[in-house]
Amino acid sequence: MAEKTVTAKQQEVQRIVDALAKAIAQHRLPPGMRLIEAQIVESLQANRNHVQVALQRLAMQKIVTIEPNRGALVAQPSAQEARDVFAARRAVERAIVEAITPAIMQQHAERIATQMTKERAATSSSDRRAIVRELSEFHCMLGEICGNAVLHDILDNLMVRSSLIVALYQRNDVPSCASDEHQQVLDALAAGQREQAVELMIEHLDELEGQLALHQEQNAEVNLREALAER
Ligand SMILES: [Zn+2]
């Protein structure tokens, strides 16, 4: 009985975590936005205590920042954190690509084809949210089909943080992932050329990081204060 209660609570907390993480990943909740508990309780029809636990969990995952006496807000990763997230993605996505065999590709052929159709439809539209969602979904899909649940979990966290990074640092005039680069990774995987697939994925991630303006910290105010405090 007691165990059942715990499970129900855990499931409910997970539902809130997933809803918030998804909204953040899709840029519906932008970096720095204040997350007011009462509003989350109302819009997700949730219990206040569960919302608090969910926010704490997202804070541990660096997706949310909790400020004493000021409450929770959507995290604003620094330029250094952005570089670290991309370094981590190179390591994790390399391992994911290495785990995907031609048999796995065949087993998930239908899902992969559907994803690529959605992705091409999004990139040929001007719906920025759909583009962000579908391009990121490609990477999440590889995490899901690779068969390693730990890599999948780590990647899910990195993808939400990447989405925050893109929202903060992406130069406006360039799209993020190019769909044909995704297709090349898939083609190499389907042909069993895993080394080639890894190389293409790393190049792709380098390209993505190169599109970000990471040469300066986002928060100029903090830098100014630090500079003045040095004297
Ligand atoms: Zn991509």
Side-chain angles (χ1 to χ4, degrees), residues 155-222:
L155 184 69
D156 270 0
N157 172 262
L158 292 174
M159 290 310 294
V160 178
R161 292 166 77 179
S162 287
S163 195
L164 286 174
I165 290 163
V166 166
L168 282 169
Y169 298 103
Q170 180 81 32
R171 299 193 197 104
N172 283 331
D173 52 334
V174 279
S176 42
C177 301
S179 216
D180 54 338
E181 291 178 13
H182 286 175
Q183 189 59 55
Q184 285 170 5
V185 172
L186 292 177
D187 291 346
L189 283 174
Q193 297 163 335
R194 272 183 271 176
E195 254 173 64
Q196 168 83 351
V198 165
E199 223 169 276
L200 288 165
M201 179 58 97
I202 300 294
E203 268 174 37
H204 175 56
L205 291 173
D206 286 344
E207 173 72 23
L208 291 187
E209 190 177 355
Q211 290 172 12
L212 303 172
L214 295 179
H215 47 278
Q216 57 195 29
E217 287 292 330
Q218 181 71 7
N219 198 335
E221 262 178 22
V222 172

Coordinates of all heavy atoms in Angstrom, one line a residue, residues 155-222:
L155 N 21.4 11.9 -22.7 CA 21.2 12.7 -23.9 C 19.9 13.6 -23.7 O 19.9 14.7 -24.1 CB 21.1 11.8 -25.1 CG 20.9 12.7 -26.4 CD1 22.2 13.5 -26.7 CD2 20.5 11.9 -27.6
D156 N 18.8 13.0 -23.1 CA 17.6 13.8 -22.9 C 17.9 15.1 -22.2 O 17.4 16.1 -22.5 CB 16.5 12.9 -22.2 CG 15.7 12.2 -23.2 OD1 15.9 12.2 -24.4 OD2 14.8 11.4 -22.7
N157 N 18.7 14.9 -21.1 CA 19.0 16.1 -20.3 C 19.9 17.1 -21.1 O 19.6 18.3 -21.2 CB 19.8 15.7 -19.1 CG 20.4 16.8 -18.3 OD1 21.6 17.2 -18.5 ND2 19.6 17.5 -17.5
L158 N 20.9 16.6 -21.9 CA 21.7 17.4 -22.7 C 20.9 18.1 -23.8 O 21.2 19.3 -24.1 CB 22.9 16.6 -23.3 CG 23.9 16.1 -22.3 CD1 24.9 15.2 -23.0 CD2 24.7 17.2 -21.6
M159 N 19.9 17.5 -24.3 CA 19.1 18.1 -25.4 C 18.3 19.2 -24.9 O 18.1 20.2 -25.6 CB 18.2 17.0 -26.1 CG 19.0 16.0 -26.9 SD 20.2 16.7 -28.1 CE 19.1 17.6 -29.2
V160 N 17.7 19.1 -23.7 CA 16.9 20.2 -23.1 C 17.9 21.4 -22.9 O 17.6 22.6 -23.2 CB 16.2 19.8 -21.8 CG1 15.4 21.0 -21.3 CG2 15.2 18.7 -22.1
R161 N 19.1 21.1 -22.3 CA 20.0 22.2 -22.1 C 20.5 22.8 -23.4 O 20.7 24.0 -23.5 CB 21.2 21.6 -21.2 CG 20.7 21.3 -19.8 CD 21.7 20.4 -19.0 NE 22.8 21.2 -18.5 CZ 23.7 20.7 -17.8 NH1 23.7 19.4 -17.5 NH2 24.7 21.4 -17.3
S162 N 20.7 22.0 -24.4 CA 21.1 22.5 -25.7 C 20.0 23.4 -26.3 O 20.4 24.4 -26.9 CB 21.2 21.3 -26.8 OG 22.4 20.6 -26.5
S163 N 18.8 23.1 -26.0 CA 17.7 24.0 -26.5 C 17.8 25.3 -25.8 O 17.6 26.4 -26.5 CB 16.4 23.3 -26.2 OG 15.4 23.8 -27.0
L164 N 18.1 25.4 -24.5 CA 18.2 26.6 -23.8 C 19.4 27.4 -24.4 O 19.4 28.6 -24.6 CB 18.5 26.4 -22.3 CG 17.4 25.9 -21.5 CD1 17.8 25.6 -20.1 CD2 16.3 27.0 -21.4
I165 N 20.5 26.7 -24.7 CA 21.7 27.3 -25.3 C 21.4 27.9 -26.7 O 21.8 29.0 -26.9 CB 22.8 26.2 -25.4 CG1 23.3 25.9 -23.9 CG2 24.0 26.7 -26.2 CD1 24.1 24.6 -23.8
V166 N 20.7 27.2 -27.5 CA 20.3 27.7 -28.8 C 19.4 28.9 -28.7 O 19.6 29.9 -29.3 CB 19.5 26.6 -29.6 CG1 18.9 27.2 -30.8 CG2 20.5 25.5 -30.1
A167 N 18.5 28.9 -27.7 CA 17.6 30.1 -27.5 C 18.5 31.3 -27.1 O 18.1 32.4 -27.5 CB 16.6 29.8 -26.4
L168 N 19.5 31.1 -26.3 CA 20.3 32.2 -25.9 C 21.4 32.7 -26.8 O 21.7 33.8 -26.9 CB 21.0 31.8 -24.5 CG 20.2 31.8 -23.3 CD1 21.0 31.1 -22.1 CD2 19.8 33.2 -22.9
Y169 N 22.0 31.7 -27.6 CA 23.2 32.0 -28.3 C 23.2 31.9 -29.8 O 24.1 32.2 -30.5 CB 24.4 31.2 -27.8 CG 24.7 31.4 -26.3 CD1 24.3 30.5 -25.3 CD2 25.4 32.6 -25.9 CE1 24.6 30.8 -24.0 CE2 25.7 32.8 -24.6 CZ 25.3 31.9 -23.6 OH 25.5 32.1 -22.3
Q170 N 22.1 31.3 -30.3 CA 22.1 31.0 -31.8 C 22.1 32.4 -32.5 O 21.3 33.3 -32.2 CB 20.8 30.3 -32.1 CG 20.6 30.0 -33.6 CD 21.4 28.7 -34.0 OE1 21.6 27.8 -33.2 NE2 21.9 28.7 -35.2
R171 N 22.9 32.5 -33.5 CA 22.9 33.7 -34.4 C 21.6 33.5 -35.2 O 21.3 32.5 -35.8 CB 24.1 33.7 -35.3 CG 25.4 33.8 -34.5 CD 26.5 34.2 -35.4 NE 27.8 33.9 -34.7 CZ 28.6 32.9 -35.0 NH1 28.2 32.1 -36.0 NH2 29.7 32.7 -34.4
N172 N 20.8 34.6 -35.3 CA 19.5 34.5 -35.9 C 19.4 34.1 -37.3 O 18.4 33.4 -37.7 CB 18.8 35.9 -35.8 CG 18.4 36.1 -34.4 OD1 18.0 35.2 -33.6 ND2 18.4 37.4 -33.9
D173 N 20.4 34.4 -38.1 CA 20.2 34.2 -39.6 C 20.5 32.8 -40.0 O 20.3 32.5 -41.2 CB 21.1 35.2 -40.3 CG 22.6 35.2 -39.8 OD1 22.7 34.8 -38.6 OD2 23.5 35.5 -40.6
V174 N 21.0 31.9 -39.1 CA 21.3 30.6 -39.6 C 20.4 29.5 -38.9 O 20.0 29.6 -37.8 CB 22.8 30.2 -39.3 CG1 23.7 30.7 -40.3 CG2 23.2 30.6 -37.9
P175 N 20.0 28.5 -39.7 CA 19.2 27.4 -39.1 C 20.1 26.6 -38.2 O 21.3 26.7 -38.4 CB 18.7 26.7 -40.3 CG 19.7 26.9 -41.4 CD 20.3 28.2 -41.1
S176 N 19.5 25.7 -37.3 CA 20.4 24.9 -36.5 C 20.8 23.7 -37.3 O 21.6 23.8 -38.2 CB 19.8 24.6 -35.2 OG 18.4 24.3 -35.3
C177 N 20.3 22.5 -37.1 CA 20.7 21.3 -37.8 C 20.3 21.3 -39.3 O 19.2 21.8 -39.6 CB 20.1 20.0 -37.2 SG 20.5 19.8 -35.5
A178 N 21.2 20.8 -40.1 CA 20.8 20.7 -41.5 C 20.3 19.3 -41.7 O 21.0 18.3 -41.3 CB 22.0 21.0 -42.4
S179 N 19.1 19.1 -42.3 CA 18.5 17.8 -42.5 C 19.3 16.9 -43.3 O 19.3 15.7 -43.0 CB 17.1 18.0 -43.1 OG 16.2 17.2 -42.6
D180 N 20.1 17.4 -44.3 CA 20.9 16.4 -45.1 C 22.0 15.8 -44.3 O 22.5 14.7 -44.5 CB 21.3 17.1 -46.4 CG 22.1 18.3 -46.2 OD1 21.9 19.0 -45.1 OD2 22.8 18.7 -47.1
E181 N 22.5 16.6 -43.3 CA 23.6 16.0 -42.4 C 23.0 14.9 -41.6 O 23.6 13.9 -41.4 CB 24.1 17.1 -41.5 CG 25.0 18.1 -42.3 CD 25.5 19.3 -41.4 OE1 25.5 19.1 -40.2 OE2 26.0 20.3 -42.0
H182 N 21.7 15.0 -41.1 CA 21.1 14.0 -40.4 C 20.9 12.7 -41.3 O 21.2 11.6 -40.9 CB 19.7 14.4 -40.0 CG 19.7 15.3 -38.8 ND1 18.6 16.0 -38.3 CD2 20.7 15.8 -38.0 CE1 18.9 16.7 -37.3 NE2 20.2 16.6 -37.1
Q183 N 20.5 13.0 -42.6 CA 20.3 11.9 -43.5 C 21.6 11.1 -43.8 O 21.6 9.9 -43.8 CB 19.7 12.4 -44.8 CG 19.3 11.3 -45.8 CD 18.2 10.4 -45.2 OE1 17.1 10.9 -44.7 NE2 18.4 9.1 -45.2
Q184 N 22.7 11.9 -43.8 CA 24.0 11.2 -44.1 C 24.4 10.3 -42.9 O 24.9 9.2 -43.2 CB 25.1 12.3 -44.3 CG 25.1 13.0 -45.6 CD 26.0 14.2 -45.7 OE1 26.7 14.5 -44.8 NE2 25.9 14.9 -46.8
V185 N 24.1 10.7 -41.7 CA 24.4 9.9 -40.5 C 23.6 8.6 -40.6 O 24.1 7.5 -40.5 CB 24.1 10.6 -39.2 CG1 24.2 9.7 -38.0 CG2 25.0 11.8 -39.0
L186 N 22.3 8.8 -41.0 CA 21.4 7.6 -41.1 C 21.9 6.6 -42.2 O 21.9 5.4 -42.0 CB 20.0 8.0 -41.4 CG 19.2 8.8 -40.3 CD1 17.9 9.2 -40.8 CD2 19.1 7.9 -39.0
D187 N 22.3 7.2 -43.3 CA 22.7 6.4 -44.5 C 23.9 5.5 -44.1 O 24.0 4.3 -44.4 CB 23.1 7.2 -45.7 CG 21.8 7.9 -46.3 OD1 20.7 7.4 -46.0 OD2 22.0 8.8 -47.1
A188 N 24.9 6.2 -43.4 CA 26.1 5.5 -42.9 C 25.7 4.3 -41.9 O 26.2 3.2 -42.0 CB 27.1 6.4 -42.3
L189 N 24.8 4.6 -41.0 CA 24.4 3.6 -40.0 C 23.7 2.5 -40.7 O 23.9 1.3 -40.4 CB 23.4 4.3 -39.0 CG 24.1 5.1 -37.9 CD1 23.1 5.8 -37.1 CD2 25.0 4.3 -37.1
A190 N 22.8 2.8 -41.7 CA 22.1 1.7 -42.4 C 23.0 0.8 -43.1 O 22.8 -0.4 -43.3 CB 21.0 2.3 -43.3
A191 N 24.1 1.4 -43.6 CA 25.1 0.6 -44.4 C 26.1 -0.1 -43.5 O 27.1 -0.8 -44.0 CB 25.8 1.5 -45.4
G192 N 26.0 0.1 -42.2 CA 26.9 -0.6 -41.2 C 28.3 0.1 -41.2 O 29.2 -0.4 -40.6
Q193 N 28.4 1.4 -41.7 CA 29.6 2.1 -41.6 C 29.6 3.0 -40.4 O 29.4 4.2 -40.5 CB 29.8 3.0 -42.9 CG 29.9 2.1 -44.1 CD 29.6 3.0 -45.4 OE1 29.0 4.0 -45.4 NE2 30.1 2.5 -46.5
R194 N 29.9 2.4 -39.2 CA 29.7 3.1 -38.0 C 30.8 4.1 -37.7 O 30.5 5.2 -37.2 CB 29.6 2.1 -36.8 CG 28.1 1.7 -36.6 CD 27.9 0.9 -35.4 NE 28.1 -0.5 -35.8 CZ 28.1 -1.5 -35.0 NH1 27.9 -1.3 -33.7 NH2 28.2 -2.8 -35.4
E195 N 32.0 3.8 -38.2 CA 33.1 4.8 -38.0 C 32.8 6.1 -38.8 O 32.9 7.2 -38.3 CB 34.4 4.2 -38.5 CG 35.3 3.8 -37.4 CD 36.6 3.1 -38.0 OE1 37.3 3.8 -38.7 OE2 36.7 1.9 -37.7
Q196 N 32.3 5.9 -40.0 CA 31.9 7.0 -40.9 C 30.7 7.8 -40.2 O 30.7 9.0 -40.2 CB 31.4 6.4 -42.2 CG 30.7 7.4 -43.1 CD 31.7 8.3 -43.9 OE1 32.9 8.2 -43.6 NE2 31.2 9.0 -44.9
A197 N 29.8 7.1 -39.6 CA 28.6 7.7 -39.0 C 29.1 8.5 -37.8 O 28.6 9.7 -37.6 CB 27.6 6.6 -38.5
V198 N 30.0 8.0 -37.0 CA 30.6 8.8 -35.9 C 31.2 10.0 -36.3 O 31.0 11.1 -35.8 CB 31.6 7.9 -35.1 CG1 32.4 8.8 -34.1 CG2 30.9 6.8 -34.3
E199 N 32.0 9.9 -37.4 CA 32.7 11.1 -37.9 C 31.7 12.2 -38.4 O 31.9 13.3 -38.1 CB 33.6 10.6 -39.1 CG 35.0 11.2 -39.2 CD 35.8 10.5 -40.3 OE1 36.3 9.4 -40.0 OE2 35.8 11.0 -41.4
L200 N 30.7 11.7 -39.1 CA 29.7 12.7 -39.6 C 28.9 13.3 -38.4 O 28.7 14.5 -38.4 CB 28.7 11.9 -40.5 CG 29.2 11.5 -41.8 CD1 28.2 10.5 -42.5 CD2 29.3 12.7 -42.7
M201 N 28.6 12.6 -37.4 CA 27.9 13.1 -36.2 C 28.8 14.1 -35.5 O 28.3 15.2 -35.1 CB 27.5 12.0 -35.2 CG 26.8 12.5 -34.0 SD 25.3 13.4 -34.4 CE 24.1 12.1 -34.2
I202 N 30.1 13.8 -35.3 CA 31.0 14.8 -34.6 C 31.1 16.1 -35.5 O 31.0 17.2 -34.9 CB 32.4 14.2 -34.4 CG1 32.3 12.9 -33.5 CG2 33.4 15.2 -33.8 CD1 31.9 13.1 -32.1
E203 N 31.3 15.9 -36.8 CA 31.3 17.1 -37.7 C 30.0 17.9 -37.5 O 30.1 19.2 -37.5 CB 31.4 16.7 -39.1 CG 32.8 16.6 -39.7 CD 32.8 16.0 -41.1 OE1 31.9 16.3 -41.9 OE2 33.7 15.2 -41.4
H204 N 28.9 17.2 -37.5 CA 27.6 17.9 -37.4 C 27.5 18.7 -36.0 O 27.1 19.8 -36.0 CB 26.5 16.8 -37.4 CG 25.1 17.3 -37.2 ND1 24.6 18.3 -38.0 CD2 24.2 17.0 -36.3 CE1 23.3 18.6 -37.5 NE2 23.1 17.8 -36.5
L205 N 28.0 18.1 -34.9 CA 27.9 18.8 -33.6 C 28.9 20.0 -33.6 O 28.6 21.0 -33.0 CB 28.2 17.8 -32.5 CG 27.1 16.7 -32.3 CD1 27.6 15.7 -31.3 CD2 25.8 17.3 -31.8
D206 N 30.1 19.8 -34.2 CA 31.0 20.9 -34.4 C 30.4 22.1 -35.1 O 30.5 23.3 -34.7 CB 32.3 20.5 -35.1 CG 33.2 19.6 -34.2 OD1 33.0 19.6 -33.0 OD2 34.1 19.0 -34.8
E207 N 29.7 21.7 -36.2 CA 29.0 22.7 -37.0 C 27.9 23.5 -36.2 O 27.8 24.7 -36.2 CB 28.3 22.0 -38.2 CG 27.4 22.8 -39.1 CD 28.2 23.7 -40.0 OE1 29.4 23.5 -40.2 OE2 27.5 24.7 -40.4
L208 N 27.1 22.7 -35.4 CA 26.1 23.3 -34.5 C 26.7 24.3 -33.5 O 26.2 25.4 -33.3 CB 25.3 22.2 -33.7 CG 24.4 21.3 -34.5 CD1 23.6 20.5 -33.5 CD2 23.5 22.1 -35.4
E209 N 27.8 23.8 -32.9 CA 28.5 24.7 -31.9 C 29.0 26.0 -32.6 O 29.0 27.0 -32.0 CB 29.6 23.9 -31.1 CG 30.1 24.7 -30.0 CD 31.2 24.0 -29.2 OE1 31.4 22.8 -29.5 OE2 31.7 24.6 -28.2
G210 N 29.5 25.8 -33.8 CA 30.1 26.9 -34.5 C 29.0 28.0 -34.9 O 29.4 29.1 -35.1
Q211 N 27.7 27.6 -34.8 CA 26.7 28.5 -35.2 C 26.3 29.4 -33.9 O 25.5 30.3 -34.0 CB 25.4 27.8 -35.6 CG 25.5 27.2 -37.0 CD 24.4 26.3 -37.3 OE1 23.3 26.3 -36.6 NE2 24.5 25.5 -38.4
L212 N 26.9 29.1 -32.8 CA 26.5 29.8 -31.6 C 27.5 31.0 -31.3 O 28.7 30.9 -31.6 CB 26.6 28.9 -30.4 CG 25.6 27.6 -30.5 CD1 25.9 26.7 -29.3 CD2 24.2 28.0 -30.6
A213 N 27.0 32.0 -30.8 CA 27.9 33.2 -30.4 C 28.4 33.0 -29.0 O 27.8 33.5 -28.1 CB 27.1 34.5 -30.6
L214 N 29.4 32.2 -28.8 CA 29.9 31.8 -27.5 C 31.1 32.6 -27.1 O 31.7 32.3 -26.1 CB 30.1 30.3 -27.4 CG 28.9 29.4 -27.6 CD1 29.4 28.0 -27.5 CD2 27.9 29.7 -26.5
H215 N 31.5 33.6 -27.9 CA 32.8 34.3 -27.6 C 32.6 35.2 -26.4 O 33.6 35.6 -25.8 CB 33.3 35.0 -28.8 CG 32.2 35.8 -29.5 ND1 31.3 35.2 -30.4 CD2 31.8 37.1 -29.4 CE1 30.5 36.2 -30.8 NE2 30.8 37.3 -30.2
Q216 N 31.4 35.6 -26.1 CA 31.2 36.4 -24.9 C 30.1 35.9 -24.0 O 29.2 35.3 -24.5 CB 31.0 37.9 -25.3 CG 29.8 38.0 -26.2 CD 29.8 39.4 -26.9 OE1 30.8 40.0 -27.1 NE2 28.6 39.9 -27.1
E217 N 30.2 36.3 -22.8 CA 29.1 35.9 -21.8 C 27.8 36.6 -22.2 O 27.9 37.8 -22.6 CB 29.5 36.2 -20.4 CG 30.6 35.2 -19.9 CD 30.1 33.8 -19.7 OE1 28.9 33.6 -19.4 OE2 30.9 32.9 -19.8
Q218 N 26.7 35.9 -22.0 CA 25.4 36.5 -22.3 C 25.1 37.7 -21.4 O 24.6 38.7 -21.8 CB 24.3 35.4 -22.1 CG 22.9 35.9 -22.4 CD 22.8 36.1 -23.9 OE1 23.6 35.8 -24.7 NE2 21.6 36.7 -24.3
N219 N 25.5 37.6 -20.1 CA 25.1 38.6 -19.1 C 26.1 39.6 -19.0 O 27.0 39.5 -18.1 CB 24.7 37.9 -17.8 CG 23.9 38.8 -16.9 OD1 24.0 40.0 -17.1 ND2 23.2 38.2 -16.0
A220 N 26.1 40.7 -19.7 CA 27.1 41.8 -19.7 C 27.1 42.5 -18.4 O 28.2 42.9 -17.9 CB 26.8 42.8 -20.8
E221 N 26.0 42.6 -17.7 CA 25.9 43.2 -16.4 C 26.8 42.6 -15.4 O 27.5 43.3 -14.7 CB 24.5 43.1 -15.8 CG 23.6 44.4 -16.1 CD 22.2 44.1 -15.6 OE1 22.0 43.3 -14.7 OE2 21.3 44.8 -16.1
V222 N 26.8 41.3 -15.3 CA 27.6 40.5 -14.4 C 29.1 40.8 -14.7 O 29.9 41.0 -13.8 CB 27.3 39.0 -14.5 CG1 28.3 38.2 -13.6 CG2 25.9 38.7 -14.0

